[in-house]
């Protein structure tokens, strides 16, 4: 392996995974409002993915798959939403 390959592998290892948990939103504005509220009550990192025109979904970051159930529970506790792991 080259030094560049090693650097890329280290970078990928530190990149978070993203778990989609809410879909679909029909507008980006609606998804952004949802994310803003979630961030204020949970403190988690979210992103919006555009699947196609007028179809957006929301995902949260995780470092390890074992974090997913705990983060879903945190969102549920803060919002009252019933979420299940996909």
């Amino acid at each position: 392996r080259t030094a560049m390959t090693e650097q890329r592998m280290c970078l990928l290892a530190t990149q978070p995974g993203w778990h989609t948990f809410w879909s679909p939103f029909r507008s980006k504005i609606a998804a952004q409002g949802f994310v803003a509220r979630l961030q204020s009550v949970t403190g988690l990192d979210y992103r919006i993915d555009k699947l196609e025109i007028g179809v957006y979904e929301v995902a949260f970051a995780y470092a390890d798959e074992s974090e997913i159930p705990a983060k879903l529970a945190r969102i549920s506790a803060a919002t009252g939403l019933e979420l299940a792991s996909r």
Side-chain angles (χ1 to χ4, degrees):
R1 294 185 191 167
T2 66
M4 183 66 95
T5 301
E6 290 292 332
Q7 288 174 339
R8 285 184 186 150
M9 289 178 68
C10 288
L11 181 62
L12 288 174
T14 61
Q15 297 286 324
W18 293 93
H19 179 76
T20 299
F21 71 99
W22 201 267
S23 177
F25 283 92
R26 299 295 174 207
S27 76
K28 187 173 184 179
I29 291 171
Q32 288 171 330
F34 183 67
V35 164
R37 180 67 181 142
L38 285 176
Q39 286 174 325
S40 73
V41 298
T42 67
L44 298 176
D45 187 19
Y46 300 91
R47 77 174 185 191
I48 299 166
D49 292 320
K50 180 179 180 180
L51 302 181
E52 59 187 60
I53 294 173
V55 181
Y56 301 87
E57 60 187 18
V58 174
F60 60 77
Y62 66 91
D64 181 286
E65 286 194 18
S66 66
E67 293 180 347
I68 293 172
K71 288 190 174 189
L72 288 171
R74 186 171 171 179
I75 295 165
S76 291
T79 64
L81 296 171
E82 292 186 28
L83 302 172
S85 188
R86 292 185 192 200

